[in-house]
Amino acid sequence: MSGLSKGAEALLPPPGRRTRRGVEATLLVGGGIVAAITLLALVSLVWTPYDVGEINAAERLATSSTRHWLGTDKFGRDVVSLLMVGSQTTLLVGLVSVGVAAVVGVPLGILAAMVPRWWGELVMRANDLLLAFPALLLAIMLTAVHGQGVVTAMVAIGISSIPSFARVVRSGAIGVMKTEYVLAARAAGRRPVAIALRHVLPNVGSLVIVQASVSFAIAVLAEAALSYLGLGAPPGTPSWGRMLQEGQELLFVAPRLEVFPGVAIALAVLGFNLLGDGLRDRFDPRLEDRR
Amino acid sequence: MLLRIAERTAVLLVSLAVSSVLVFGFMVLLPGDPARVALGVNATEADVLRLRLEFGLQRPLVEQYLSWIGGLVRLDPGVSYISRAPIGPQIADRLQVSLILVVASMLIAVAIALPFGTLMAVHHRKASGLILSAFSQVGVAVPAFLAGILLITVFAVQLRWLPASGWTPPAYDPGMFLQQLLLPALSLGLVQGAVLTRYVRSSVLEVLREDFLRTARAKGLTPLQALVRHGLRNAAVPVVTVLGLQLATLLVGAVVIERVFVIPGLGSLLLDAVGNRDLIVVQDVVMVLVVAVLIVNFVVDLLYLAIDPRLRTAAR
Amino acid sequence: MTEAPGRRASPVGGMPPADAARSLLPPADVVRVRDLAVAVGHKPLLVDVDLTVRRGERVGLIGESGSGKSLTALAIMGLLPQELAPSGSVVVTGHGPGSVARSTSVLEAGERGLAAMRGRDVAMVFQEPMTALNPTMRVGAQVAEVMTIHGTVADRGAASRRAVDLLDKVGLPDPADAARAYPHQLSGGQRQRVVVAMALANDPALLICDEPTTALDVTVQALVLDLIVRGVQARDAGLLFITHDLAVVASVCERVLVMYGGRVVEAGPVLDVFTRPRHRYTRGLIGASDLDLARPDGGLYTIQGSVPAAGRFPAGCVFRNRCTHATAECETVPQWEGPGPEVGFACVHPVVHHGGGSS
């Protein structure tokens, strides 16, 4: 609202929004990181430089060398291999938890948008209540009863991500419900389920994708924290968080053992965050006007 | 206005009630008998039965729930299944510690986010804005406990300026207390600060585009004056929302940080109880955390009313 | 530029009485714009704009969206976004502290100088009253602020009292209550009155209004227009009134400039321009505004084609791609024909008026 006519405004770079180039760069970097990690995980399913189950006392705490690019841990296990296998846990937990959250949260959001106002508000209040339970807290509660495990972590993180999906989908769905083609469909007597599937769902798709990326980043963080606390992956399964926990006692001797998994975690989170940001800006209709 | 306050209070009370049911239900309805779980795999049937009777676990669920709630209201959370020690005093002690940590972290986060976020917004098209933006992206990606470990590595291990762990009550040794508080508070504060910075930035950017800022400039206010006198209060509303949400994250993040820095707060009480399978303690501590979050949200709601006069008389 | 002779020193902190000022001052330019040009990269948005407003004059600036009229106003206020590199000369002359005349060369002044000028020597009223005021600040405080910033009153208390007085003068019922109200408690018309009060608070030498009544209900429009006119008359201030509404210009202004495609295409006294327009665009505008006048086939008069996007106007005469009388000569920029920037037109094939008819 700078007092300029629409025509003149359009010639200025959009305020506060990334330029087209910026969005592409973000998508590239974020997508690149995510792709690299996925590749690493897939490769590690069939091959790693060294066997992570093998304990090699002779080579404990080795520094970087041509044999072990990033050195070894206190059991003599190759750090690169550990990181690779750890990425499996990270991606698996992220995938399942986001899947659970989406499968429950998206229909919930659409439902909350399509029912009469009163009910929708009630559902959202309950949603907000669930929002108050961060993943970690839920996971801790679950672990207290069930014992630790990857599945516990996945379920807990999944449940705690539901409110975000529900919220985002609901506000998107409300917008769709107000469009003319939905009004026309309702006037023509189409059943709500049909409207939900044919009209609402495709239109909130982009919102879901963006939220999925963001929730994935959160899941990575949560899984790392859980493993660090000893509540996630059990001792046998390599996980970046667990590597952090195991390495902490050796902080004064070999701080690098903390840095490598730490960087891996941060990179993964950064990748998913950038991907989510890039996708969000890519799907933003306001940006379309620029060309 | 009074109506708004009454409304918010009602919501708070209802949320408290519902949450307590949820927490209780969660712990109780999950498969697994609390007594058996507490005693472990080697317990005999007789032991289990004895424990159940001792703690009234054979009573109907509703009765157990009411008895628990009644106790909480009287500030008596009961007694540990494992140690038989009263839980109340432990929670009180640990709560103090956690509160200090959380408040300190919050202050650091706000002290970082307000100036940097505003700066990023004002310079959003210049190089300095982009650089700051990149930094905050990295800040968001680093989990607090990782930041803690890295800070320990630099400041305690390499430089030996600060202790790597531990906690001293402020009354005993203020100097040591501050030294031990600094790294943990920084770990939480820096990371949350990065998250908050992005919200401050987008909120300030929104406000900068508002018409009333143009009016302020036309009146003769410099851009800085316009931003401070007119912009900030309006930008505050979304930021306050996020602050409230962040408190939940902070409280939970503190749980992990307590492990990193070996701090005797609520978090370590919780984790120890989980390790010991002391379900009643877990139940109580979780409830305390939830209550804290709900109260904070309540206060945030009241703050809204103070900041934005439009909300005071908003029609339904 | 020119100083204002005969200006008495005012009582401490106060403003000289407006009627005294009127009788003593000869007409002086409050704003003088010469060769103003604004562009985004290579796309021109404003070219060769010349404009003058004198004390007590009411000048209209007509054009459709995209004509550059709002840009001209923003240029005078020094509020153009940085990316639009303005060139030329814009000089605003008002009375600074102590009522000594002061001139500001807007395009060269720093932010400090511009901030001192805005709200004091020149003030502006924008189009959207609903969003013009800070929603979290009481209305009276917002009016008082413009006075405390420029130090035109003795203290905060005096500013508050004068704010209430101003709100009364702009016709708000219960001005004391209104001063304590928040903007959302007022209607659009009332908010615009508050904005006018804020603009006139420091008795500026020039008031710029950019479509001030377009967003208001018709019944309120006349009231606010009346307010503006009486406000500038009481202060012997200049008025630059920007709008696309010819009827409003006819009733409010003495002189008018017509803008199209970032240029001034015609200028002159309102009556002359409206009854005997010379530029083809002006002719089209007048014809299109007259709903009683129909073509022989029964249709209304329109201008063929549509306004090109910003920066995409044709080279040479900006109107030639829509003009029924365009020829090859129109491919060069038409010269300004007239005694000065206040009267004249720039058209190669202007409308010719003989006696009663025109062609």
Side-chain angles (χ1 to χ4, degrees):
Chain A
M1 287 313 217
S2 53
L4 300 176
S5 69
K6 283 244 172 89
E9 267 260 21
L11 288 176
L12 294 178
R17 279 306 196 161
R18 306 167 196 269
T19 58
R20 249 221 151 110
R21 283 252 200 86
V23 174
E24 282 163 6
T26 313
L27 274 177
L28 215 59
V29 173
I33 295 178
V34 170
I37 296 179
T38 314
L39 195 63
L40 222 56
L42 289 174
V43 166
S44 73
L45 283 173
V46 287
W47 173 83
T48 55
Y50 289 84
D51 180 1
V52 292
E54 206 176 275
I55 296 185
N56 194 343
E59 300 209 323
R60 308 176 58 219
L61 301 178
T63 49
S64 335
S65 62
T66 40
R67 289 194 39 180
H68 297 280
W69 288 356
L70 296 176
T72 61
D73 72 349
K74 67 182 179 194
F75 292 124
R77 298 179 293 185
D78 174 46
V79 171
V80 172
S81 312
L82 282 172
L83 285 178
M84 284 174 74
V85 178
S87 70
Q88 291 177 21
T89 314
T90 308
L91 287 182
L92 184 66
V93 172
L95 222 58
V96 172
S97 59
V98 166
V100 164
V103 160
V104 176
V106 171
L108 197 64
I110 295 182
L111 193 75
M114 292 182 72
V115 297
R117 198 79 202 281
W118 226 99
W119 287 105
E121 286 295 320
L122 202 66
V123 170
M124 277 300 121
R125 287 280 185 194
N127 205 42
D128 288 347
L129 214 60
L130 192 53
L131 209 55
F133 276 80
L136 219 51
L137 211 53
L138 266 169
I140 292 176
M141 283 164 65
L142 264 176
T143 310
V145 181
H146 267 296
Q148 69 172 132
V150 177
V151 176
T152 316
M154 290 194 283
V155 171
I157 300 175
I159 295 180
S160 70
S161 304
I162 292 176
S164 315
F165 277 92
R167 184 153 266 268
V168 156
V169 166
R170 177 180 181 255
S171 48
I174 286 186
V176 173
M177 295 295 286
K178 291 193 187 149
T179 56
E180 304 211 331
Y181 50 85
V182 168
L183 284 175
R186 290 170 75 187
R190 300 273 277 157
R191 287 181 22 245
V193 176
I195 295 182
L197 288 175
R198 281 221 56 186
H199 295 286
V200 180
L201 199 54
N203 280 291
V204 296
S206 58
L207 289 170
V208 172
I209 293 179
V210 171
Q211 183 62 44
S213 198
V214 171
S215 291
F216 209 112
I218 296 177
V220 171
L221 278 173
E223 191 279 324
L226 283 174
S227 298
Y228 173 81
L229 291 174
L231 297 177
T237 321
S239 137
W240 294 343
R242 180 160 283 282
M243 288 171 77
L244 278 177
Q245 184 245 326
E246 283 170 1
Q248 194 176 355
E249 59 192 17
L250 298 164
L251 207 50
F252 283 82
V253 171
R256 64 179 178 280
L257 287 177
E258 295 292 84
V259 170
F260 296 137
V263 168
I265 296 173
L267 230 89
V269 175
L270 187 67
F272 281 101
N273 272 340
L274 285 179
L275 189 61
D277 278 353
L279 285 173
R280 183 186 295 129
D281 285 343
R282 176 77 172 74
F283 290 139
D284 186 344
R286 277 191 277 181
L287 216 50
E288 301 299 317
D289 293 341
R290 282 224 64 216
R291 273 294 157 79
Chain B
M1 168 88 140
L2 279 177
L3 199 61
R4 301 280 126 212
I5 297 183
E7 196 190 329
R8 301 280 187 268
T9 316
V11 169
L12 173 65
L13 292 174
V14 169
S15 306
L16 283 173
V18 173
S19 312
S20 66
V21 172
L22 282 177
V23 172
F24 181 80
F26 192 89
M27 301 302 294
V28 163
L29 292 175
L30 282 175
D33 173 6
R36 191 181 305 275
V37 163
L39 290 173
V41 188
N42 295 324
T44 64
E45 281 305 315
D47 291 334
V48 173
L49 200 59
R50 202 177 315 132
L51 199 65
R52 284 178 66 87
L53 283 173
E54 187 179 345
F55 286 100
L57 294 174
Q58 81 292 4
R59 295 173 296 169
L61 284 178
V62 177
E63 198 184 317
Q64 288 189 48
Y65 168 74
L66 289 173
S67 144
W68 176 57
I69 284 295
L72 281 182
V73 170
R74 281 178 283 124
L75 294 181
D76 172 20
V79 157
S80 155
Y81 290 166
I82 308 287
S83 70
R84 305 298 194 282
I87 306 176
Q90 286 187 59
I91 289 188
D93 285 339
R94 305 287 189 123
L95 188 60
Q96 275 185 30
V97 175
S98 290
L99 275 179
I100 294 177
L101 181 59
V102 166
V103 168
S105 312
M106 194 52 118
L107 287 175
I108 293 181
V110 171
I112 294 179
L114 283 185
F116 279 107
T118 312
L119 214 65
M120 276 166 65
V122 170
H123 289 209
H124 72 96
R125 277 187 221 153
K126 303 191 197 148
S128 47
L130 287 174
I131 293 178
L132 283 175
S133 189
F135 266 122
S136 81
Q137 274 283 22
V138 173
V140 167
V142 175
F145 69 96
L146 182 59
I149 293 175
L150 290 174
L151 283 173
I152 294 179
T153 313
V154 171
F155 289 99
V157 175
Q158 307 281 27
L159 295 172
R160 301 198 183 254
W161 285 352
L162 292 166
S165 61
W167 181 269
T168 317
Y172 282 8
D173 183 347
M176 196 55 180
F177 161 71
L178 281 175
Q179 284 186 44
Q180 287 177 322
L181 178 63
L182 190 57
L183 285 184
L186 263 181
S187 319
L188 278 172
L190 280 175
V191 168
Q192 290 304 319
V195 173
L196 198 59
T197 302
R198 287 156 68 75
Y199 283 99
V200 169
R201 172 186 182 271
S202 72
S203 181
V204 171
L205 268 177
E206 279 296 318
V207 161
L208 284 176
R209 286 153 66 181
E210 293 277 5
D211 281 352
F212 60 82
L213 270 210
R214 178 181 63 178
T215 309
R217 300 275 320 275
K219 273 157 72 166
L221 288 160
T222 60
L224 186 63
Q225 283 172 324
L227 182 62
V228 169
R229 293 199 208 192
H230 293 268
L232 286 187
R233 191 162 160 182
N234 284 279
V237 172
V239 172
V240 167
T241 317
V242 174
L243 266 178
L245 284 175
Q246 283 219 313
L247 215 80
T249 325
L250 261 181
L251 276 171
V252 170
V255 168
V256 190
I257 288 290
E258 288 176 22
R259 204 22 104 72
V260 175
F261 289 92
V262 190
I263 293 178
L266 273 183
S268 38
L269 180 61
L270 182 61
L271 290 171
D272 290 342
V274 169
N276 292 332
R277 319 304 227 107
D278 200 344
L279 293 181
I280 183 71
V281 175
V282 173
Q283 193 170 309
D284 286 335
V285 174
V286 168
M287 195 61 211
V288 167
L289 288 173
V290 169
V291 167
V293 169
L294 286 174
I295 291 183
V296 165
N297 285 342
F298 174 67
V299 170
V300 163
D301 277 346
L302 290 183
L303 270 176
Y304 281 160
L305 292 180
I307 295 178
D308 192 341
R310 289 173 290 186
L311 297 172
R312 296 181 199 166
T313 50
R316 262 251 145 243
Chain C
M1 244 209 78
T2 47
E3 64 281 2
R7 205 99 169 94
R8 328 195 274 262
S10 56
V12 168
M15 293 301 306
D19 10 301
R22 200 184 326 154
S23 55
L24 287 176
L25 290 174
D29 294 349
V30 289
V31 65
R32 207 174 133 87
V33 176
R34 291 285 177 268
D35 301 319
L36 176 64
V38 165
V40 171
H42 294 295
K43 299 208 177 116
L45 296 175
L46 277 186
V47 185
D48 284 344
V49 173
D50 288 346
L51 183 158
T52 312
V53 179
R54 280 185 279 279
R55 290 202 77 91
E57 264 200 310
R58 296 191 300 281
V59 178
L61 193 54
I62 308 178
E64 301 167 279
S65 345
S67 58
K69 52 195 205 303
S70 297
L71 276 178
T72 310
L74 288 177
I76 297 177
M77 292 286 285
L79 283 176
L80 285 175
Q82 293 161 317
E83 294 77 12
L84 309 179
S87 63
S89 137
V90 175
V91 179
V92 170
T93 306
H95 25 238
S99 305
V100 173
R102 99 177 141 192
S103 290
T104 314
S105 173
V106 174
L107 299 184
E108 286 145 31
E111 187 55 40
R112 277 275 205 83
L114 290 177
M117 169 193 84
R118 294 185 206 120
R120 183 75 166 82
D121 301 337
V122 57
M124 188 156 172
V125 173
F126 296 93
Q127 177 171 346
E128 278 295 338
M130 297 303 275
T131 49
L133 297 170
N134 182 346
T136 59
M137 201 165 154
R138 294 184 207 267
V139 154
Q142 298 191 46
V143 176
E145 186 183 31
V146 74
M147 291 180 270
T148 49
I149 292 192
H150 293 281
T152 51
V153 286
D155 57 37
R156 287 253 194 91
S160 300
R161 286 191 295 277
R162 190 158 144 77
V164 174
D165 184 47
L166 281 164
L167 291 178
D168 183 35
K169 295 246 176 56
V170 294
L172 284 178
D174 284 323
D177 280 342
R180 279 196 304 274
Y182 286 95
H184 69 275
Q185 294 166 307
L186 303 176
S187 71
Q190 289 171 326
R191 291 186 217 189
Q192 197 67 311
R193 291 172 197 260
V194 172
V195 173
V196 172
M198 263 176 11
L200 295 175
N202 291 330
D203 300 326
L206 173 67
L207 178 67
I208 307 179
C209 296
D210 190 352
E211 310 267 19
T213 55
T214 310
L216 299 176
D217 294 335
V218 174
T219 47
V220 177
Q221 280 185 17
L223 294 172
V224 174
L225 282 175
D226 179 59
L227 201 56
I228 293 175
V229 172
R230 281 192 292 117
V232 296
Q233 279 178 331
R235 293 161 174 81
D236 199 33
L239 174 67
L240 182 61
F241 198 98
I242 302 172
T243 182
H244 60 273
D245 188 336
L246 301 181
V248 167
V249 167
S251 62
V252 167
C253 306
E254 305 156 324
R255 273 199 294 123
V256 68
L257 289 93
V258 181
M259 284 189 75
Y260 181 82
R263 290 177 180 272
V264 179
V265 296
E266 183 159 4
V270 163
L271 201 57
D272 290 349
V273 172
F274 279 21
T275 53
R276 287 193 298 277
R278 302 305 304 277
H279 197 282
R280 293 283 163 187
Y281 171 67
T282 320
R283 173 81 143 79
L285 257 192
I286 309 261
S289 303
D290 189 348
L291 296 178
D292 292 333
L293 191 68
R295 294 202 305 253
D297 65 4
L300 295 174
Y301 280 102
T302 55
I303 306 176
Q304 69 184 23
S306 52
V307 181
R312 300 252 178 96
F313 289 88
C317 173
V318 282
F319 187 58
R320 67 184 169 91
N321 64 334
R322 303 174 68 190
C323 183
T324 46
H325 290 77
T327 64
E329 290 173 80
C330 302
E331 284 164 30
T332 40
V333 178
Q335 295 281 59
W336 182 262
E337 318 237 357
E342 293 162 31
V343 182
F345 57 90
C347 183
V348 180
H349 304 289
V351 180
V352 178
H353 300 274
H354 339 274
S358 19
S359 55

